[in-house]
Amino acid sequence: MARNEKVVPPLDEPAHVRRDRSNTKMAMPKPIRLLAAACMALFFFLVVQIMRGPGEVKLPAVDDGKIADMLRDPNLDETGEPPEPLHRVQGHNYAPDNSDSDRINATLLSLVRNKELEPLIQSMQDLERTWNHKFNYPWTFINDEPFTTEFMQATKANTNAECRYLQIPKEHWAVPSWINEDLMHESANILEEHDVQYAHMKSYHQMCRWNSGLFYKHPELQDIQYYWRVEPNVHFFCDVDYDVFRYMRDHNKTYGFTVSLYDSPWTVQTLWPETMKFLASGNSHLLAENNAMDWLKDKERRPNHNHDANGYSTCHFWSNFEIADMNFWRSPAYEAYFEHLDRAGGFFYERWGDAPVHSIGVGLFADKNSVHWFKDIGYQHIPFFNCPNSPKCQGCVAGRFTDGEAWLNKEDCRPNWFKYVGNEWAAADDASDLAAATTSAQG
């Protein structure tokens, strides 16, 4: 008999036989009865647990980020300044009109459009109030189109420092000739299915590529070594009383960050495989001896991220804030790496961001001890914060990582950085805790 063939009883079958057959069909088989009993038992167990009162509520342990692996946010510890030497204002040594000032070849750098004037002014005012009104480093504004007179007048009115207005060369902003735009469109459809933001926004892909490997090639930036990236609509909360650029130089720092996050794996699915391909193609000698490869490959804290990004933890420095040495981007190692990625096409076929590209580049080709967490610089780019515990900070809550939904806390990748590289502020924090305990005991 065929598996789905229906059994039809004989037409002359006696009535009592048909009734018995009907009763047999309606009787519940023993396995089903056992399953129903188990379901009822589970139901009553859950009711009892709920009635016992609110205990510790735990979400499903699927890629939960192991938030508890950083038991105490270091930003709750009292924060001072990084170690000396630190250069400070003394008399007129940083005056805006001093041609022989203590400033070095560095700039505040902002990629911004004319329509973003108002949120940019807010960012400028915050940074001028907390730091640059003391040191008067020049502002450099870059746009893919000419700046308006209104933009230039408004920005100059909010600083005593020099302002420079640059336009991106067209060849730096254009989609490269080797990119198939039909494939780019179809790839964006796939990204959109996975809720990847800006999938179809071509200018966003262009911006990510430019920030990754072209901004430092602008002809009018060739004399600049250090930069502090400033975006529209960000906040700065803490007074900083030393020259951060000279700190970078004096302490041999390559890259400075405030916030470290996990990226969406769907935006970088082939970034790590392409990185491995680059290293395997005769470039492994470019790796720094003291690199942060383990940080980039971690799969314990967010295993799903590592799996979906094909071996990359997706940890990165949030590059809307970065204080860095352009000479690193100009180095043979990073230039070769960017050229490989650019030819692979992932800036357009996926949505490789400058944050993961910069972070992988720094993690592989720079000494990990040359990366500095600017813990003492209070910063916010919605929805994340870096807010230290310091009397120099106003307007943010010490130790708060986000003012968004609670689940956003698992996006914090600092615990991974501390695990594999360490917290350079830890010794100072321990000393501060000891001093506070001693004072309390004496009181």
Side-chain angles (χ1 to χ4, degrees):
M1 181 177 66
R3 178 174 298 179
N4 295 322
E5 184 176 342
K6 185 176 180 180
V7 177
V8 180
L11 294 177
D12 59 349
E13 188 175 65
H16 71 278
V17 174
R18 288 199 297 272
R19 284 196 300 269
D20 289 344
R21 184 187 299 277
S22 177
N23 290 337
T24 300
K25 289 182 181 179
M26 293 178 64
M28 185 178 294
K30 185 176 180 179
I32 300 299
R33 293 199 304 271
L34 291 175
L35 180 60
C39 290
M40 289 299 294
L42 179 59
F43 171 76
F44 285 115
F45 172 77
L46 293 174
V47 170
V48 169
Q49 293 300 311
I50 293 170
M51 295 300 291
R52 288 174 61 183
E56 182 182 0
V57 178
K58 293 186 178 181
L59 295 174
V62 178
D63 196 23
D64 64 358
K66 298 181 181 178
I67 297 171
D69 65 1
M70 186 168 72
L71 298 178
R72 177 180 173 82
D73 193 314
N75 272 329
L76 291 171
D77 299 319
E78 187 174 345
T79 300
E81 294 180 328
E84 297 284 348
L86 298 173
H87 289 266
R88 306 178 189 276
V89 174
Q90 294 179 339
H92 298 285
N93 64 329
Y94 283 98
D97 56 353
N98 184 351
S99 59
D100 191 30
S101 77
D102 286 345
R103 286 184 291 275
I104 60 176
N105 56 334
T107 191
L108 304 172
L109 185 65
S110 185
L111 174 64
V112 60
R113 290 182 165 171
N114 291 305
K115 64 183 180 182
E116 296 173 304
L117 175 59
E118 184 175 342
L120 174 73
I121 293 298
Q122 180 263 301
S123 301
M124 282 189 72
Q125 290 174 344
D126 268 15
L127 190 51
E128 285 287 332
R129 183 188 71 254
T130 56
W131 184 74
N132 200 45
H133 79 276
K134 309 161 198 171
F135 298 96
N136 294 292
Y137 272 92
W139 285 87
T140 301
F141 304 104
I142 309 184
N143 195 346
D144 63 327
E145 58 187 28
F147 284 107
T148 63
T149 301
E150 177 192 8
F151 184 98
M152 292 187 285
Q153 290 177 343
T155 47
K156 287 177 180 177
N158 280 279
T159 181
N160 291 321
E162 176 191 2
C163 291
R164 304 169 70 186
Y165 303 91
L166 309 182
Q167 188 169 348
I168 299 172
K170 292 188 183 302
E171 63 272 19
H172 286 183
W173 194 256
V175 176
S177 59
W178 56 86
I179 297 298
N180 183 314
E181 298 215 18
D182 290 334
L183 178 58
M184 178 181 168
H185 180 78
E186 291 304 316
S187 300
N189 288 337
I190 296 173
L191 292 176
E192 204 168 51
E193 290 174 5
H194 292 284
D195 298 321
V196 172
Q197 286 185 306
Y198 315 121
H200 277 286
M201 186 182 292
K202 185 167 76 170
S203 63
Y204 192 89
H205 294 262
Q206 291 170 299
M207 177 193 69
C208 290
R209 174 179 179 257
W210 182 82
N211 273 325
S212 293
L214 294 169
F215 77 94
Y216 53 87
K217 296 179 180 178
H218 194 288
E220 294 187 51
L221 289 177
Q222 296 311 297
D223 62 328
I224 302 297
Q225 181 175 356
Y226 297 96
Y227 68 98
W228 181 337
R229 179 168 160 181
V230 184
E231 291 201 353
N233 200 32
V234 299
H235 291 276
F236 297 94
F237 302 105
C238 306
D239 289 329
V240 179
D241 297 321
Y242 61 93
D243 184 339
V244 300
F245 294 123
R246 295 195 65 154
Y247 170 81
M248 295 285 287
R249 188 181 70 178
D250 294 345
H251 294 265
N252 298 314
K253 300 297 183 182
T254 296
Y255 191 91
F257 73 97
T258 52
V259 175
S260 180
L261 300 173
Y262 287 90
D263 209 347
S264 165
W266 293 105
T267 67
V268 290
Q269 281 199 302
T270 63
L271 177 56
W272 191 251
E274 283 296 338
T275 299
M276 293 299 98
K277 187 186 299 183
F278 170 75
L279 294 176
S281 302
N283 294 304
S284 59
H285 67 284
L286 298 174
L287 288 169
E289 183 176 351
N290 188 34
N291 62 61
M293 175 76 82
D294 289 343
W295 171 66
L296 295 168
K297 295 197 307 180
D298 176 79
K299 60 182 178 181
E300 294 180 9
R301 192 163 182 265
R302 300 293 294 277
N304 286 8
H305 276 232
N306 181 286
H307 176 270
D308 293 342
N310 295 296
Y312 172 34
S313 68
T314 75
C315 277
H316 65 278
F317 307 117
W318 216 22
S319 60
N320 46 67
F321 174 106
E322 57 185 12
I323 300 175
D325 184 348
M326 287 196 201
N327 286 345
F328 174 76
W329 311 129
R330 296 169 179 141
S331 68
Y334 186 80
E335 284 278 60
Y337 177 57
F338 172 75
E339 179 66 22
H340 176 90
L341 296 184
D342 200 23
R343 287 287 173 175
F347 293 108
F348 297 95
Y349 299 144
E350 291 184 1
R351 205 209 67 189
W352 296 351
D354 53 274
V357 171
H358 277 187
S359 301
I360 293 175
V362 169
L364 295 180
F365 309 121
D367 188 305
K368 62 188 178 184
N369 292 328
S370 73
V371 179
H372 176 64
W373 177 32
F374 276 102
K375 178 185 177 184
D376 56 326
I377 297 182
Y379 178 73
Q380 181 199 24
H381 184 296
I382 296 171
F384 298 109
F385 289 85
N386 182 72
C387 189
N389 179 4
S390 169
K392 293 186 175 183
C393 302
Q394 295 181 343
C396 66
V397 178
R400 172 181 283 178
F401 179 69
T402 180
D403 57 0
E405 297 293 331
W407 63 268
L408 288 171
N409 285 289
K410 73 177 182 179
E411 301 305 317
D412 186 1
C413 193
R414 289 176 304 158
N416 256 13
W417 182 254
F418 300 150
K419 174 182 177 181
Y420 292 107
V421 180
N423 177 6
E424 61 192 300
W425 295 82
D429 292 343
D430 291 344
S432 176
D433 290 345
L434 178 61
T438 303
T439 301
S440 176
Q442 292 173 346

